[in-house]
C-alpha cells in the first residue's frame, strides 16, 4: 500500500504561494447569517435562513481548532448548502478548506462568492476525490479533523456537540448517526458500537466521523469508492472512540452519488480486491465467522435498543 506524504503535498502548495498555517474562518458573536450571501428566496430553514447560536460557545472554554475539508467536483447543485452548513455552525475556531477538481458547472462562482469565509480553496484539476482530501488535510492545522463531501452537509449544532464531546471524553475518534435524504424524505441511519473485532464490517457514516490530529493518516489514493471504509481500517483500530447516538449530518442520495451509482459497480469491486490483497490489508480467513457474529450482536443491540 503506497500512501502519499502529506508534508510533501503541503510543501508543493506552499511553494505555489499558499501561506501556512491558514487563517481561521471569521467569527463574530452576532453570527454569520446576516453577513453571508443571501440565499434564493425559496430556500429556507437550515442552513439557508437559520444558524447555530454563537452564544453557546462559552468564552472561558478553549475551543479546539476544527479542520474541515470538502472535496468537490461538479456538485454545484449541492455545494452551497454544504458550505453554509459548515460556516453557519458559527464555530469560534474553524479552519475550512475546499479542494475542487476544476468544476465546470457553476461551482467556481459559488466558491468565489463564499471565498471571504473559507480558509483556503482551489479549483483546478486534481487526481480525484482521494487526492483532493489529502491535499486538503496537508494544509490542516487543527486539533481535530473531518471531511464533508460537497453533496452532503452537517446538521445544525454538530460542531458544538462534537467539540464538547472531545473536550469531555478525551477520545480520539467520534462517530454518530446520519440521515439519508432522497426526494426530501429522511431515513435515519444508526451505527452500532464499534469494536476492533468487527471493524471490517462497514458501519460508519463518513460525514458523521471526526478524529484527532494525532491519529490522522492519508487516504489511500488508489481507492475510488471505498476510500473512507479503507481509511477507518487503519485510522480507528486501537484508538479510543466515542459514539454519539444522534444524527450529525445529511447524506444526499442521488443518481450521481458513488454509493448509489450502479454504473460504477466495477469500481467498488476493484476497491474490494485491492483492499484485501497482499498489498492491502490481506485476506480475511475468518470473514464468515465475523459476519455471523455481527448478525447476532446487531439483533441483540436492536432488542436492547442500543441502536
Amino acid at each position: 500500500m503506497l500512501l502519499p506524504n502529506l508534508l510533501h503535498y503541503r510543501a508543493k502548495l506552499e511553494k505555489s504561494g499558499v501561506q501556512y498555517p491558514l487563517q481561521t474562518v471569521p467569527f463574530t458573536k452576532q453570527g454569520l447569517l446576516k453577513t453571508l450571501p443571501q440565499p434564493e428566496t425559496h430556500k429556507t430553514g437550515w442552513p439557508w435562513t437559520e444558524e447555530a447560536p454563537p452564544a453557546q460557545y462559552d468564552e472561558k472554554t478553549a475551543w479546539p481548532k476544527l479542520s474541515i475539508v470538502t472535496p468537490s467536483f461538479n456538485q454545484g447543485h449541492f455545494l452551497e448548502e454544504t458550505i453554509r452548513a459548515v460556516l453557519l455552525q458559527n464555530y469560534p475556531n474553524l479552519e475550512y478548506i475546499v479542494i475542487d477538481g476544476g468544476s465546470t458547472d457553476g461551482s467556481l462562482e459559488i466558491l468565489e462568492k463564499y471565498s471571504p469565509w473559507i480558509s483556503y480553496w482551489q479549483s483546478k484539476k486534481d487526481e480525484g476525490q482521494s487526492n483532493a482530501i489529502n491535499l486538503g488535510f496537508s494544509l490542516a492545522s487543527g486539533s481535530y479533523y473531518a471531511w464533508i463531501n460537497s453533496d452532503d452537509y452537517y446538521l445544525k449544532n454538530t460542531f458544538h456537540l462534537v467539540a464538547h464531546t472531545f473536550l469531555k471524553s478525551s477520545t480520539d475518534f467520534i462517530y454518530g448517526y446520519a440521515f439519508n435524504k432522497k426526494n426530501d424524505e429522511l431515513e435515519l441511519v444508526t451505527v452500532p458500537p464499534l469494536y476492533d473485532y468487527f471493524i471490517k464490517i462497514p458501519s460508519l457514516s463518513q460525514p458523521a466521523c471526526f478524529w484527532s490530529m494525532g491519529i490522522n493518516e492519508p487516504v489511500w489514493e488508489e481507492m475510488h469508492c471505498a476510500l473512507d471504509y479503507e481509511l477507518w481500517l487503519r485510522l480507528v483500530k486501537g484508538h479510543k472512540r466515542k459514539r454519539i447516538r444522534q444524527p450529525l449530518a445529511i447524506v444526499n442520495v442521488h443518481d450521481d452519488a458513488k454509493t448509489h451509482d450502479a454504473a460504477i459497480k466495477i469500481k467498488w469491486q476493484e476497491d474490494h480486491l485491492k483492499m484485501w490483497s497482499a498489498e492491502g490489508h490481506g485476506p480475511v480467513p475468518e470473514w464468515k465467522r465475523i459476519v455471523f457474529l455481527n448478525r447476532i450482536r446487531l439483533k441483540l443491540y436492536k432488542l436492547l435498543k442500543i441502536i
Side-chain angles (χ1 to χ4, degrees), residues 31-45:
L32 292 176
L33 183 61
K34 292 182 180 180
T35 60
L36 291 182
Q38 292 297 305
E40 298 174 43
T41 54
H42 69 281
K43 294 181 177 179
T44 59

Side-chain angles (χ1 to χ4, degrees), residues 121-228:
W121 67 273
Q122 68 176 41
S123 183
K124 61 180 69 173
K125 182 175 175 55
D126 54 42
E127 301 302 318
Q129 183 185 9
S130 298
N131 177 241
I133 293 168
N134 283 333
L135 287 170
F137 283 137
S138 76
L139 292 174
S141 62
S143 299
Y144 299 101
Y145 291 0
W147 92 73
I148 185 79
N149 293 324
S150 55
D151 52 352
D152 302 328
Y153 63 98
Y154 292 117
L155 290 169
K156 186 161 67 171
N157 295 319
T158 287
F159 289 4
H160 180 267
L161 176 57
V162 167
H164 185 265
T165 303
F166 271 124
L167 289 172
K168 183 179 178 181
S169 62
S170 298
T171 191
D172 294 314
F173 186 87
I174 286 175
Y175 59 106
Y177 299 169
F179 282 117
N180 280 343
K181 182 179 180 181
K182 185 175 184 179
N183 300 326
D184 292 326
E185 294 185 1
L186 299 178
E187 176 191 8
L188 180 63
V189 179
T190 60
V191 182
L194 187 63
Y195 298 106
D196 283 355
Y197 183 77
F198 295 106
I199 204 169
K200 294 181 177 66
I201 303 291
S203 61
L204 294 173
S205 181
Q206 176 271 314
C209 294
F210 298 77
W211 58 94
S212 69
M213 172 269 294
I215 69 169
N216 187 58
E217 294 196 21
V219 175
W220 188 10
E221 295 189 4
E222 289 184 37
M223 292 288 104
H224 183 81
C225 301
L227 54 146
D228 53 335

